[in-house]
Amino acid sequence: MMKRLTVDELNLEAQPGAFAGTLMNSSADLVTRVRQGDSDAFRLIFERYSRPVISFIYDMVNDRALAEELTQETFVRAYRAIRTMRAETKLSTWLFGIARNVARESLRARARAGNHVDLADKSVMDLSDNKPVPVDGLLSKELNELIRRSLAALDEDKRLVFTLKVLHQCSYEEIAGITGFSLAKLKTDLHRARAEMRKKISPYAGVGYEV
Amino acid sequence: MKCEVCVERLEEYLDGEVPAEEQEQISAHLITCAGCSETFGALTAEQEIFARYERDVEVPAFLWTRIAQATVAANIGKEGGWRAYFFAKPLAGVIAILLVAIAAGVVYVMSRRPTPKEIVKQTDPTLPRYGTDLVQERANRDEEQPQVKPEEIVSVPRQQRRVRPAIKHTPRIDQSDVLSSDLGYLDIDDQDTAKHIEQTQNLLRSIRNVSVTDGDEDIDVSYDKALSRRLLNENIVLRRDAEMKAKFPTKTLLADVEPLLIDIANLPDRARPEDVRVIKERVQKTEIVAALMGYQDRDPINR
């Protein structure tokens, strides 16, 4: 049983996806409270994880409206299944696992429906020139867009591991828990995903090397 | 260690996924090998680019409402009856207060010596009205309050009560320990830095305020660790930007914060109390939270 910490009450405005109650409400405590019928606890879980979940789903489906819809589905499923969540499982891993399944089902449903799932617009980006874009401050709009399209062009498994590792800083262990992939497959897909992304962005980002 | 072996492991080394012993070997090799060091620098630069990637997606305000309707609200509806009534705590509390107020008013009125009724005309309706009409006025006002059903309360999005602050807002004067910010006049780089500073400040404050003694059970810091990792990536990018733009006070502040974020990010998910205490003491000793609070008080031109 984890120690329940007592800290001075932090006067934080709860914001969607914010860090409401850091160290005050551990994820395990929140799960226990939700199981006991505490709706405030579920609200806190939503506020803590909604932004990373919607970002992750967006990375997978590349459609904002669809990402919102699938995020809703993720949290509804999570609420209904929370009693089945194992005690040793991390809440973030479990939630991302649900999000991954929701996203995958959506992508496959679209493919089965005959809608060509072309997540990446393959038209060549019309850049005014091919000089590397200075990487200072924010990314240029063009480079940001290029990353989005390049990510969408990866196959599903590579996109999944790249998103979780590089964009969401999950550990290999967490990624294996979310995806069910073996460590070997995870590392291979990640390495190849990085190589593909590097190849696409290097002319515009001023990075060019082989690893 | 040979270069071929080192290069093969550099991605995992960057990800923090190599065993400690191998990590030392790679670190030692990078110090002495210019080629591998350059490759590692390129990998780091690539990581920084992805750290700045911004998605065109936000959590919409209506999302919680929809989720609540399908989850917590539906659950309450199923249970119904007295559970539904007691779930509407705000309504129950308001009714209780009104009943007490009415009872107190009746007792007060009954205890007074009867006097001729006088209706005092008031030019300011907010001033308290004295006289025997007070109880009736209160009762009338209560009847005018909209009767809110429990399910309506459940479906009211919390965002209406706890509003996400917009970029332009006045400082919250009743919260002296919260970073006050008026970001409206800042350029977009300063807005990003200010938001980052605020989030970092809140994380470090929670570390500083944690109550921990050696011998206690392990502490679950997985959430704070993940947050610190994200903030660390942002910090690296913002620090280098500040340096390039000669914003040296900002650069110094971000450089001071970085070792603390690294230490929090390197904690195991279940950390020993003594490890957390060490970081807590460093946060206290360096007074970094006060420094972060002071950031926003400076003249924006000189940041």
Side-chain angles (χ1 to χ4, degrees):
Chain A
M1 183 78 172
M2 291 298 107
K3 176 192 171 188
R4 182 185 296 273
L5 297 174
T6 56
V7 296
D8 297 341
E9 184 174 0
L10 297 177
N11 194 354
L12 292 173
E13 286 293 315
Q15 302 175 17
F19 38 86
T22 55
L23 289 184
M24 286 171 61
N25 296 294
S26 72
S27 297
D29 288 343
L30 290 176
V31 169
T32 301
R33 285 166 54 192
V34 172
R35 286 175 175 158
Q36 291 167 351
D38 185 344
S39 60
D40 288 343
F42 187 61
R43 173 66 192 246
L44 276 177
I45 289 175
F46 171 79
E47 288 174 355
R48 192 177 280 188
Y49 291 105
S50 55
R51 187 178 290 169
V53 164
I54 200 172
S55 299
F56 167 63
I57 293 178
Y58 177 77
D59 291 337
M60 293 303 297
V61 304
N62 197 33
D63 180 319
R64 179 165 48 181
L66 183 58
E68 290 171 4
E69 187 185 315
L70 297 180
T71 300
Q72 178 183 334
E73 177 65 20
T74 298
F75 279 93
V76 170
R77 286 194 195 184
Y79 182 81
R80 291 175 181 163
I82 203 158
R83 290 181 198 281
T84 66
M85 181 183 149
R86 289 182 294 185
E88 64 273 17
T89 306
K90 275 179 61 175
L91 178 58
S92 58
T93 302
W94 185 71
L95 270 176
F96 268 63
I98 296 175
R100 180 248 177 158
N101 289 337
V102 166
R104 185 172 58 172
E105 287 166 18
S106 173
L107 289 170
R108 292 187 183 174
R110 283 159 68 181
R112 277 196 300 273
N115 299 327
H116 178 54
V117 183
D118 187 4
L119 300 182
D121 180 352
K122 301 220 171 35
S123 60
V124 174
M125 285 191 64
D126 182 20
L127 297 178
S128 55
D129 55 54
N130 283 337
K131 290 181 189 169
V133 178
V135 184
D136 54 350
L138 296 173
L139 288 186
S140 69
K141 200 175 169 186
E142 291 86 356
L143 183 54
N144 210 66
E145 179 65 12
L146 178 60
I147 292 173
R148 185 185 68 80
R149 293 184 181 184
S150 302
L151 190 62
L154 294 174
D155 73 47
E156 189 180 319
D157 284 357
K158 291 198 196 73
R159 189 179 338 123
L160 180 59
V161 296
F162 183 88
T163 294
L164 288 172
K165 183 66 208 168
V166 178
L167 302 183
H168 291 270
Q169 288 95 49
C170 295
S171 67
Y172 287 178
E173 187 185 343
E174 287 165 346
I175 296 173
I178 292 167
T179 60
F181 293 166
S182 67
L183 203 58
K185 173 176 168 56
L186 186 166
K187 288 183 185 180
T188 303
D189 281 349
L190 181 60
H191 176 72
R192 289 175 180 169
R194 274 179 156 139
E196 286 185 37
M197 293 294 287
R198 186 177 303 131
K199 196 173 168 186
K200 293 199 168 111
I201 71 167
S202 59
Y204 307 107
V207 292
Y209 54 91
E210 294 285 332
V211 177
Chain B
M1 173 177 269
K2 292 186 180 176
C3 290
E4 308 87 72
V5 174
C6 179
V7 166
E8 225 177 75
R9 303 292 279 154
L10 276 182
E11 284 184 357
E12 289 184 47
Y13 174 76
L14 177 70
D15 291 342
E17 299 281 356
V18 296
E21 190 183 316
E22 195 175 350
Q23 199 171 353
E24 284 176 18
Q25 292 173 358
I26 295 173
S27 298
H29 180 85
L30 288 176
I31 290 171
T32 56
C33 177
C36 290
S37 179
E38 190 179 334
T39 303
F40 183 67
L43 274 175
T44 307
E46 177 186 283
Q47 183 76 12
E48 287 183 20
I49 290 171
F50 292 124
R52 299 184 206 208
Y53 169 58
E54 293 210 337
R55 301 163 185 86
D56 183 22
V57 68
E58 286 288 336
V59 180
F62 59 77
L63 195 58
W64 169 248
T65 307
R66 290 186 185 170
I67 291 170
Q69 285 171 349
T71 55
V72 292
N75 210 32
I76 295 300
K78 277 184 195 170
E79 291 171 351
W82 63 271
R83 284 182 190 266
Y85 175 77
F86 277 105
F87 182 82
K89 290 175 189 175
L91 177 62
V94 166
I95 291 174
I97 290 169
L98 287 173
L99 286 173
V100 168
I102 291 169
V106 169
V107 168
Y108 172 73
V109 166
M110 297 296 286
S111 67
R112 284 186 65 201
R113 187 178 294 181
T115 56
K117 281 188 183 180
E118 292 180 2
I119 297 176
V120 178
K121 283 192 180 177
Q122 293 188 351
T123 56
D124 184 353
T126 63
L127 290 176
R129 305 183 66 170
Y130 299 98
T132 55
D133 289 333
L134 181 60
V135 170
Q136 184 58 44
E137 285 170 19
R138 282 182 177 166
N140 290 342
R141 194 168 57 240
D142 295 341
E143 286 172 11
E144 289 167 3
Q145 294 295 332
Q147 295 298 315
V148 185
K149 298 174 186 174
E151 51 271 25
E152 288 174 359
I153 288 176
V154 168
S155 65
V156 169
R158 287 262 182 120
Q159 281 87 348
Q160 292 179 6
R161 286 185 274 132
R162 290 184 291 177
V163 176
R164 182 177 187 173
I167 290 296
K168 292 185 182 181
H169 65 275
T170 56
R172 292 176 286 184
I173 58 174
D174 60 339
Q175 298 174 14
S176 57
D177 61 342
V178 174
L179 189 67
S180 65
S181 60
D182 186 348
L183 303 178
Y185 55 85
L186 298 178
D187 64 33
I188 194 157
D189 289 345
D190 286 338
Q191 287 180 23
D192 285 342
T193 303
K195 278 198 283 193
H196 170 78
I197 293 283
E198 188 168 1
Q199 291 176 12
T200 304
Q201 181 199 336
N202 284 327
L203 172 65
L204 294 179
R205 189 192 293 120
S206 75
I207 295 284
R208 183 192 67 183
N209 293 343
V210 72
S211 171
V212 59
T213 51
D214 295 348
D216 287 343
E217 294 173 358
D218 288 351
I219 302 168
D220 182 358
V221 296
S222 56
Y223 184 79
D224 308 88
K225 173 181 167 178
L227 175 61
S228 190
R229 273 194 211 167
R230 179 177 69 77
L231 290 173
L232 178 61
N233 277 341
E234 285 178 11
N235 205 78
I236 293 170
V237 168
L238 291 169
R239 175 174 54 77
R240 291 188 180 181
D241 290 346
E243 189 169 8
M244 281 195 296
K245 291 176 182 171
K247 292 183 179 178
F248 295 115
T250 302
K251 176 233 167 191
T252 303
L253 181 63
L254 294 172
D256 290 343
V257 153
E258 210 157 287
L260 292 164
L261 292 176
I262 290 172
D263 286 347
I264 297 170
N266 282 335
L267 286 170
D269 285 350
R270 293 170 183 169
R272 296 181 307 167
E274 47 267 35
D275 292 336
V276 175
R277 182 175 51 77
V278 165
I279 300 176
K280 168 187 165 140
E281 286 172 357
R282 278 176 56 206
V283 171
Q284 288 172 328
K285 191 175 170 185
T286 56
E287 298 184 343
I288 190 68
V289 173
L292 291 168
M293 285 175 62
Y295 170 83
Q296 207 65 20
D297 294 335
R298 291 181 194 170
D299 178 356
I301 295 171
N302 292 323
R303 286 199 184 127

